[in-house]
Amino acid sequence: MAFPAGFGWGASTAAYQVEGGWDADGKGPSVWDTFTHQGGERVFQNQTGDVACGSYTLWEEDLKCIKQLGLTHYRFSLSWSRLLPDGTTGFINQKGIDYYNKIIDDLLTNGVIPIVTLYHFDLPQALEDKGGWLSEAIIESFDKYARFCFSMFGDRVKQWITINEPNILAIMAYDLGVFPPGVPHFGTGGYQAAHNLIKAHARSWHSYDSFFRKEQKGMVSLGIFAGWAEPADTNSVSDQEAAKRAIAFCLDFFAKPIFIDGDYPEVVKSQIAFMSKKQGYPSSRLPKFTEEEKRMIKGTADFFAVQYYTSRLVKYQENKKEVGFLQDVELQVFPDPSWKRLDWVYVVPWGIRKLLKYIKDTYNNPVIYITENGFPQGDPASLDDTQRWEYFRQTFQELFKDADPKVLNKYPAH
């Protein structure tokens, strides 16, 4: 299989997962530092990211790997609390600026395009103490942080991701409470956090558009996690509708407001209102955008960044009493027994093709960047990684079936 001309090959990392140096050179604590240091049943084997991959001190080794792989792009995230220890521009850590300047400059010197994520789940603890993503105050805090990063690095960084997987963050951190801050708010917290995440992204996009785009000429989007949902019984109307709801709650919940009209999908609004009423709530648990907010949110992405790993079969399952984001969707998800399993990822190559086709048709054929893809391996990972390259081989075969070489040449980071 030959790759099309202009095809971009990248790798992706996140600050907390690779940097280490959790309190080095003036860095402030993040919610993940606090959460893992507390230990207990919620933290696997009481492990922390205090050292992680040690990228804060071993960046030169990472760069060697990037060059050896022949990558054209490298996506990484900035640690908000390494740059702004208390989350505000009232306290700026120059050592943090120097660290990221070196990464960016080294990448460009070696012909690698940096794709920079502003926020990948590691909120400064000082801001979480003020309410985190449940508080509307976070919107202004994030916008100020984004402006700071654009001003510091935007002369060289031309592709920005504001927020990584806001849908996963909202559910895992503020609905289920299994991510920090670790406090569940079933059926309410996830929606409130999502509401603020969307507005924070939109505000920062407008800041870039108004104050930086003309000179820096970059692009800004957010990275949405999405898997494909296939009806378990293709002849069942209820399963078909459940699969549509699965995609609406996972992907369209964030994509439709940003790419289409500034508001949540109708099926999401009606489903949550229906479940809220059934459970005795006086009104829907989903917050509403004002008309002014809808206008502010609409059209705030310059490309579509999607993060795909796997797919699931979906079957309708009525929920009568349980309150929660996942319960609101009224479905059961499970794999086909024939699918190969690699931890939580089932190998479903055709899923990514169906997902991209859906995005193309639903969102007016946007430029799409696949900003994450792959599968997890146990520790220590085997160097005999035939499963890994087979996963990628099958995935790319699906991607390239209908690829237009002219489009790939025009947008080489696909």
Side-chain angles (χ1 to χ4, degrees), residues 120-346:
H120 194 127
F121 300 173
D122 50 348
L123 190 69
Q125 183 62 48
L127 295 181
E128 183 58 48
D129 292 341
K130 298 178 181 178
W133 288 105
L134 295 180
S135 168
E136 283 205 22
I138 195 68
I139 298 169
E140 183 175 355
S141 297
F142 183 79
D143 182 46
K144 289 181 178 179
Y145 165 61
R147 291 192 192 197
F148 169 79
C149 294
F150 296 150
S151 65
M152 288 292 107
F153 311 117
D155 58 329
R156 289 151 293 156
V157 175
K158 305 305 176 185
Q159 291 171 284
W160 294 95
I161 303 290
T162 56
I163 299 168
N164 178 78
E165 296 182 351
N167 45 355
I168 297 299
L169 177 69
I171 296 171
M172 300 298 281
Y174 293 97
D175 188 88
L176 300 177
V178 296
F179 282 7
V183 180
H185 302 272
F186 298 117
T188 57
Y191 296 134
Q192 184 60 55
H195 207 65
N196 290 332
L197 283 160
I198 291 172
K199 289 192 285 187
H201 159 78
R203 178 86 70 86
S204 63
W205 184 93
H206 280 290
S207 288
Y208 188 85
D209 196 53
S210 298
F211 304 115
F212 300 97
R213 186 186 302 277
K214 183 178 180 181
E215 181 177 344
Q216 296 181 359
K217 298 179 173 57
M219 300 187 297
V220 180
S221 188
L222 79 172
I224 304 176
F225 172 90
W228 181 250
E230 187 76 4
D233 180 354
T234 55
N235 295 316
S236 167
V237 174
S238 61
D239 285 4
Q240 292 174 13
E241 293 302 312
K244 291 178 182 178
R245 286 199 302 277
I247 295 172
F249 271 76
C250 181
L251 175 70
D252 301 333
F253 192 107
F254 284 85
K256 180 176 174 288
I258 290 166
F259 286 88
I260 301 296
D261 61 6
D263 199 9
Y264 297 116
E266 289 302 320
V267 67
V268 168
K269 294 192 291 185
S270 63
Q271 182 70 14
I272 298 172
F274 169 72
M275 294 301 298
S276 298
K277 182 178 180 180
K278 185 160 64 169
Q279 293 156 349
Y281 285 82
S283 60
S284 175
R285 288 177 276 108
L286 179 68
K288 295 181 179 180
F289 293 119
T290 66
E291 292 303 314
E292 182 180 356
E293 287 172 339
K294 290 177 187 178
R295 290 190 292 271
M296 186 267 292
I297 294 166
K298 177 183 176 181
T300 55
D302 303 314
F303 57 95
F304 202 115
V306 65
Q307 308 188 167
Y308 172 90
Y309 290 89
T310 190
S311 297
R312 291 291 191 273
L313 299 178
V314 174
K315 186 177 183 64
Y316 169 69
Q317 180 173 287
E318 183 182 9
N319 173 39
K320 295 182 179 179
K321 296 182 179 179
E322 290 187 70
V323 178
F325 183 100
L326 300 176
Q327 289 75 17
D328 281 340
V329 197
E330 289 198 302
L331 51 76
Q332 178 184 4
V333 296
F334 52 91
D336 187 296
S338 67
W339 296 346
K340 291 182 180 179
R341 181 180 181 179
L342 304 159
D343 198 275
W344 63 274
V345 171
Y346 290 84

Side-chain angles (χ1 to χ4, degrees), residues 345-389:
V345 171
Y346 290 84
V347 182
V348 192
W350 49 262
I352 193 170
R353 187 163 179 255
K354 287 196 172 188
L355 176 65
L356 296 184
K357 179 67 163 58
Y358 176 84
I359 294 171
K360 175 184 177 181
D361 294 343
T362 306
Y363 295 101
N364 302 318
N365 195 23
V367 174
I368 301 174
Y369 288 73
I370 301 171
T371 43
E372 286 185 26
N373 177 248
F375 70 84
Q377 286 182 298
D379 186 18
S382 171
L383 294 179
D384 181 16
D385 61 349
T386 53
Q387 288 181 314
R388 182 181 297 276
W389 63 253

